[in-house]
């Protein structure tokens, strides 16, 4: 039964599905209006004239839609009728235009045929015109590149007395550029006519250049002659002129010579004014010759002025050539120019300084002048580096003259020492001449210590100075002490040499001389030591014992048997020796206390006591030798050498 019902139900469903109305209804029911935009738009449009929803309006809906569609179609037809009319009008216009264009084309074709020759001629003329225009532009550019403008020619030529300005230098630069460009063109493969033209342009530019350089040199020459003031101001135009003259070495050298000639006259005039009237670059207005009574200040002021003038002239020359290309040749030119400028002051310098040197007799002042001249020679040499400069040569000659006069003064002083030899004073100290000479040497060496010479020159000068003074001084001391006794001579020479030694030990480069003096002092000190020891031995009657012991030999027999060597004589001598040991200073030579050096006195005492101790030990050992026959040596010489040594300290 169930299956039968299902079959009936399926048959009923098939009938419903085959009904068209059912299909539409199902379709409408299944339709989703919110997704159908066209339907929504149609409903919106329908809502504009379907205002009421009643049976009548629903029945008339179709007719209303049809009427509305009819009205729209009528409006559409009316509008298209107007469009068709306008299109017909446009068609007529187009046809008219087409006919007109066809007619014009025919006329143009006819005209073109008639004017073909004219068009060809016009095209040829246009081509020729373009070619001529190009040639005109090339010619204009060529003239602008390789020809001077009238105002440039006027600036270059000008007048000989006319001034130089920036336009002149611009025109000169233009001439040089054209000349260089012509050289470049000549290197290329040009036609003969072009090469001839370029050569003509080069020749004309060369003439312009020579004229311009001649005018530039004349103007520079006239301007340089005006540069004679102290406060020199060199214009930028003049510096630029010198820079351009550097391209012509001969004219450039002439310009430098003109400048140096003007500056040389100015420097000489200013130097004479500074000497006699006062003034000068950076100096007080007081004349230098007011200090002629003070040789060092006078010569120092002159040399300081010349050094400052040399530095100022170097600055002027560097400002004069500041725009020139730097090179070694330019430096040489500047140095030669400075040398020529400063050469003018050589004669007044030499005349005045020579007079000062020759009239000066003091060795110290001469040596100070020597060092002063040497210092300024080296100082000016830093500014004026030319080797054969007359100013440097002049200062060097004055230095050599002062150096020679200084040593002449030393030799003269030494000669006077040998001519007037003084006798030693009673205190055996150095003589007054000796002390004055030492003072002179001290002053000279003090000046030398502050000099600016090199170490080699200093060492050589020290050796020469010491030889000129010390050797004659020692000879004078030797002659002065020739009539003294040996002891007095040794003490006197020790005092004299000690004074020399202690003074020169304060200065450098004196080691060799100090060694020589020390050796002489040691020799004279040894003499005093021997004399002191001999005096003590003689005073204590030990001289005979010591001499006999030194020369005794066993073949002569026993020592005790020799006359004078008896035990009693030895006992008497030991009594005096014991008295000496109680006061060792009691038998000191008077010359020992006259020594100036406490160190020498101490060395003398110690060395003499050592000799006494050595002599006592020799005698002691000999007496205590049984072979010499002394029966009780301990009684004869009760003190051992060690005890004697302690007592002698």
């Amino acid at each position: 039964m169930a299956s039968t019902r299902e079959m009936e139900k399926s048959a009923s469903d098939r009938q419903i599905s085959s009904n068209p109305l059912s299909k539409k209804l199902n379709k409408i029911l299944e339709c989703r209006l919110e997704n159908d935009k066209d339907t929504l738009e149609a409903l919106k449009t329908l809502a504009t004239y379907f205002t009421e929803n009643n049976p009548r309006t629903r029945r008339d809906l179709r007719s209303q839609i049809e009427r509305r569609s009819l009205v729209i179609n009528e409006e559409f037809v009316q509008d298209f009728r107007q469009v068709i009319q306008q299109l017909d009008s446009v068609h007529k216009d187009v046809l008219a235009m087409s006919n007109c264009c066809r007619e014009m084309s025919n006329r143009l074709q006819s005209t073109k045929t008639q004017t073909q020759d004219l068009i060809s001629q016009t095209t040829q003329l246009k081509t020729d015109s373009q070619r001529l225009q190009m040639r005109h532009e090339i010619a204009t550019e060529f003239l602008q590149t390789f020809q001077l403008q009238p105002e440039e020619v006027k600036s270059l030529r000008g007048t000989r007395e006319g001034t130089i300005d920036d336009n002149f230098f611009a025109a000169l630069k233009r001439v040089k550029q054209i000349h260089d460009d012509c050289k470049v063109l000549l290197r290329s493969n040009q036609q003969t006519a072009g090469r001839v033209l370029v050569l003509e342009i080069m020749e004309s530019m060369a003439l312009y250049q020579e004229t311009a350089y001649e005018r530039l040199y004349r103007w520079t020459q006239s301007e340089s002659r005006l540069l004679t003031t102290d406060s020199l101001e060199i214009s930028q135009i003049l510096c630029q002129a010198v820079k351009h003259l550097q391209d012509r070495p001969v004219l450039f050298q002439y310009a430098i010579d003109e400048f140096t000639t003007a500056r040389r006259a100015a420097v000489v005039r200013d130097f004479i004014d500074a000497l006699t009237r006062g003034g000068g670059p950076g100096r007080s207005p007081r004349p230098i010759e007011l200090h002629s009574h003070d040789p060092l200040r006078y010569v120092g002021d002159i040399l300081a002025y010349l050094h400052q003038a040399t530095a100022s002239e170097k600055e002027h020359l560097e400002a004069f050539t500041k725009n020139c290309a730097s090179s070694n040749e330019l430096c040489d030119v500047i140095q030669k120019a400075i040398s020529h400028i400063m050469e003018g002051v050589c004669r007044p310098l030499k005349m005045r300084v020579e007079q000062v040197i020759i009239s000066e007799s003091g060795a110290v002042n001469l040596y100070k002048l020597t060092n002063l001249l040497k210092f300024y020679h080296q100082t000016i040499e830093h500014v004026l580096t030319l080797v054969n400069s007359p100013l440097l040569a002049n200062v060097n000659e004055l230095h050599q003259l002062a150096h020679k006069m200084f040593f002449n003064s030393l030799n003269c002083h030494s000669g006077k020492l040998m001519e007037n030899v003084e006798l030693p004073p009673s205190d055996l100290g150095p003589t007054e001449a000796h002390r004055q000479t030492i003072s002179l040497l001290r002053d000279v060496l003090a000046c030398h210590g502050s000099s600016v010479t090199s170490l080699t020159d200093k060492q050589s000068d020290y050796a020469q100075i010491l030889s000129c003074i010390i050797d004659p001084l020692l000879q004078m001391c030797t002659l002065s002490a020739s009539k003294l006794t040996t002891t007095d001579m040794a003490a006197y020479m020790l005092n004299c040499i000690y004074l020399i030694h202690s003074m020169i030990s304060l200065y450098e480069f004196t080691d060799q001389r100090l060694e020589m003096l020390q050796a002489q002092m040691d020799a004279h000190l040894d003499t005093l030591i021997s004399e002191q020891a001999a005096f003590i031995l003689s005073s204590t009657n030990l001289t005979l014992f010591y001499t006999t012991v030194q020369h005794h030999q066993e073949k002569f027999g026993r020592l005790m048997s020799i006359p004078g060597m008896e035990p009693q004589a030895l006992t008497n001598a030991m009594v005096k020796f014991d008295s000496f040991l109680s006061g060792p200073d009691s038998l000191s030579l008077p010359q020992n206390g006259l020594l100036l050096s406490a160190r020498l006195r101490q060395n003398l005492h110690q060395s003499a006591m050592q000799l006494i101790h050595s002599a006592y030990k020799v005698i002691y050992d000999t007496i205590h030798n049984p072979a010499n026959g002394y029966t009780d040596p301990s009684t004869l010489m009760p003190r051992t050498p060690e005890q004697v040594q302690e007592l002698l300290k």
Side-chain angles (χ1 to χ4, degrees):
M1 285 296 291
S3 61
T4 303
R5 287 177 182 163
E6 291 177 356
M7 292 177 62
E8 289 178 354
K9 185 178 181 180
S10 61
S12 176
D13 291 337
R14 282 196 297 270
Q15 288 178 356
I16 292 172
S17 62
S18 61
N19 189 352
L21 183 58
S22 298
K23 291 181 179 180
K24 289 185 178 180
L25 288 174
N26 290 330
K27 184 177 180 182
I28 291 171
L29 292 173
E30 293 175 357
C31 179
R32 301 295 182 186
L33 294 179
E34 61 274 9
N35 296 330
D36 193 352
K37 294 182 180 181
D38 294 338
T39 303
L40 291 175
E41 292 294 330
L43 291 175
K44 289 180 181 180
T45 303
L46 183 61
T48 58
Y49 58 87
F50 188 74
T51 57
E52 296 181 3
N53 188 6
N54 52 46
R56 184 179 178 181
T57 56
R58 285 195 297 272
R59 286 194 301 269
D60 294 338
L61 178 60
R62 184 179 183 87
S63 60
Q64 288 181 3
I65 292 172
E66 290 177 351
R67 282 196 299 271
R68 186 172 182 82
S69 177
L70 180 59
V71 171
I72 292 172
N73 288 333
E74 288 177 354
E75 291 176 355
F76 186 75
V77 170
Q78 184 65 29
D79 292 337
F80 263 91
R81 186 179 292 113
Q82 293 177 1
V83 172
I84 289 172
Q85 290 175 357
Q86 292 177 359
L87 287 176
D88 290 340
S89 176
V90 171
H91 178 67
K92 290 179 181 180
D93 292 338
V94 171
L95 289 177
M97 290 177 64
S98 177
N99 292 331
C100 183
C101 289
R102 188 180 299 109
E103 183 179 356
M104 290 178 65
S105 178
N106 293 333
R107 291 173 62 186
L108 286 174
Q109 185 66 30
S110 176
T111 303
K112 183 178 180 181
T113 302
Q114 294 175 2
T115 60
Q116 185 69 36
D117 294 337
L118 181 60
I119 293 173
S120 299
Q121 293 178 5
T122 303
T123 303
Q124 183 64 34
L125 290 175
K126 186 177 180 181
T127 304
D128 294 342
S129 176
Q130 292 177 350
R131 185 182 299 108
L132 291 175
Q133 181 65 26
M134 184 179 297
R135 290 181 177 178
H136 178 266
E137 293 177 356
I138 293 174
T140 303
E141 185 67 25
F142 181 83
L143 291 176
Q144 291 179 353
T145 305
F146 292 94
Q147 290 294 328
L148 296 177
Q149 300 298 325
E151 57 272 13
E152 292 176 336
V153 175
K154 184 178 179 181
S155 299
L156 285 176
R157 289 178 175 175
T159 60
R160 178 170 294 183
E161 294 77 13
T163 59
I164 301 294
D165 53 13
D166 293 334
N167 294 329
F168 173 86
F169 294 114
L172 181 59
K173 182 179 180 181
R174 174 93 171 123
V175 170
K176 293 171 62 178
Q177 184 63 41
I178 293 174
H179 196 272
D180 294 339
D181 292 341
C182 290
K183 289 182 179 179
V184 175
L185 288 178
L186 287 176
R187 295 191 186 100
S188 60
N189 295 325
Q190 298 291 330
Q191 296 179 357
T192 304
R195 296 178 67 86
V196 172
L197 177 61
V198 171
L199 289 174
E200 291 178 355
I201 294 174
M202 285 186 66
E203 184 177 357
S204 63
M205 292 301 110
L207 292 176
Y208 281 132
Q209 277 186 316
E210 295 304 323
T211 303
Y213 279 120
E214 180 67 21
R215 182 186 172 206
L216 187 62
Y217 166 67
R218 296 298 179 189
W219 180 82
T220 304
Q221 185 182 42
S222 62
E223 289 293 318
S224 298
R225 290 174 179 174
L226 302 177
L227 302 177
T228 58
T229 58
D230 293 340
S231 57
L232 196 62
E233 294 183 2
I234 302 175
S235 64
Q236 184 63 30
I237 297 296
L238 182 57
C239 295
Q240 197 169 358
V242 176
K243 173 189 175 183
H244 284 82
L245 285 177
Q246 197 176 15
D247 295 335
R248 294 292 187 273
V250 175
L251 296 180
F252 176 74
Q253 186 61 50
Y254 286 164
I256 296 293
D257 293 342
E258 196 68 35
F259 178 85
T260 55
T261 301
R263 291 309 305 164
R264 174 171 175 165
V267 169
V268 173
R269 183 187 66 248
D270 293 341
F271 180 54
I272 299 300
D273 290 344
L275 288 171
T276 58
R277 298 171 57 186
R283 300 188 60 82
S284 61
R286 294 175 61 82
I288 296 176
E289 290 189 347
L290 285 179
H291 307 291
S292 59
H293 61 280
D294 186 354
L296 289 175
R297 181 173 180 180
Y298 180 56
V299 176
D301 288 347
I302 291 176
L303 294 175
Y305 178 90
L306 293 180
H307 170 250
Q308 189 169 2
T310 305
S312 299
E313 294 308 314
K314 183 178 181 181
E315 292 177 358
H316 295 159
L317 274 165
E318 289 176 348
F320 189 68
T321 59
K322 65 180 181 180
N323 291 338
C324 298
S326 299
S327 62
N328 294 332
E329 290 77 8
L330 180 61
C331 294
D332 293 340
V333 169
I334 292 176
Q335 287 297 321
K336 290 179 181 178
I338 298 174
S339 176
H340 181 70
I341 291 173
M342 301 308 298
E343 185 180 3
V345 301
C346 290
R347 184 175 180 181
L349 167 68
K350 186 175 182 180
M351 180 178 64
R352 285 164 172 79
V353 178
E354 269 187 355
Q355 184 178 1
V356 171
I357 294 173
I358 294 173
S359 60
E360 182 60 46
S361 58
V364 177
N365 283 341
L366 284 171
Y367 195 61
K368 289 181 179 179
L369 287 173
T370 302
N371 291 333
L372 186 65
L373 289 165
K374 184 67 174 179
F375 168 75
Y376 275 102
H377 180 273
Q378 295 179 356
T379 304
I380 297 175
E381 196 174 21
H382 293 156
V383 181
L384 185 56
T385 58
L386 195 65
V387 177
N388 55 352
S389 170
L391 178 60
L392 289 177
N394 205 303
V395 175
N396 187 54
E397 288 178 4
L398 294 173
H399 167 258
Q400 297 298 331
L401 176 62
H403 191 265
K404 180 180 178 181
M405 293 296 295
F406 164 67
F407 281 105
N408 287 343
S409 177
L410 292 183
N411 292 328
C412 181
H413 182 84
S414 301
K416 290 180 180 179
L417 290 178
M418 301 302 296
E419 292 176 0
N420 301 317
V421 179
E422 299 180 11
L423 294 176
S426 58
D427 60 355
L428 298 181
T431 62
E432 184 62 25
H434 187 281
R435 294 183 182 275
Q436 292 177 357
T437 305
I438 293 299
S439 178
L440 172 64
L441 180 60
R442 181 186 299 109
D443 294 339
V444 170
L445 294 181
C447 296
H448 195 281
S450 60
S451 65
V452 295
T453 56
S454 62
L455 293 178
T456 304
D457 294 339
K458 279 187 177 183
Q459 190 170 2
S460 176
D461 287 348
Y462 264 102
Q464 193 172 358
I465 292 170
L466 295 177
S467 297
C468 286
I469 295 181
I470 294 179
D471 292 342
L473 186 59
L474 292 176
Q475 292 179 10
M476 183 203 73
C477 294
T478 303
L479 292 176
S480 177
S482 59
K483 296 181 180 181
L484 298 177
T485 62
T486 304
T487 306
D488 290 343
M489 178 184 290
Y492 174 70
M493 292 300 295
L494 267 176
N495 287 333
C496 293
I497 298 174
Y498 168 75
L499 193 62
I500 300 172
H501 185 279
S502 60
M503 192 277 295
I504 69 172
S505 63
L506 302 176
Y507 301 95
E508 56 184 352
F509 307 123
T510 58
D511 295 341
Q512 185 177 2
R513 179 63 63 170
L514 288 173
E515 291 178 0
M516 296 173 60
L517 293 175
Q518 186 62 48
Q520 295 180 18
M521 290 173 62
D522 292 341
H524 293 296
L525 185 62
D526 290 341
T527 301
L528 278 179
I529 292 170
S530 299
E531 292 295 328
Q532 177 65 52
F535 177 71
I536 294 173
L537 292 176
S538 175
S539 299
T540 56
N541 294 333
L542 290 178
T543 304
L544 178 61
F545 286 94
Y546 182 64
T547 305
T548 305
V549 166
Q550 281 187 319
H551 298 87
H552 176 68
Q553 297 181 4
E554 293 183 359
K555 63 181 180 178
F556 296 141
R558 293 188 300 174
L559 184 63
M560 188 181 65
S561 60
I562 298 176
M565 299 299 293
E566 297 84 359
Q568 185 60 41
L570 183 60
T571 300
N572 295 335
M574 286 297 103
V575 172
K576 293 184 178 181
F577 188 74
D578 287 342
S579 177
F580 162 73
L581 291 178
S582 62
D585 295 334
S586 60
L587 296 180
S588 177
L589 290 174
Q591 291 84 353
N592 298 348
L594 299 178
L595 294 179
L596 297 177
S597 172
R599 181 179 60 83
L600 290 177
R601 292 196 297 270
Q602 183 179 2
N603 292 340
L604 171 60
H605 176 74
Q606 292 177 354
S607 299
M609 294 304 104
Q610 289 177 1
L611 287 180
I612 296 300
H613 171 262
S614 300
Y616 181 82
K617 187 176 184 306
V618 170
I619 297 172
Y620 182 86
D621 292 340
T622 304
I623 297 301
H624 282 73
N625 188 358
N628 291 318
Y630 293 98
T631 57
D632 192 6
S634 298
T635 304
L636 297 176
M637 299 183 70
R639 301 184 187 275
T640 64
E642 289 76 13
Q643 293 174 341
V644 171
Q645 185 177 11
E646 289 295 326
L647 293 173
L648 290 176
K649 286 184 178 180

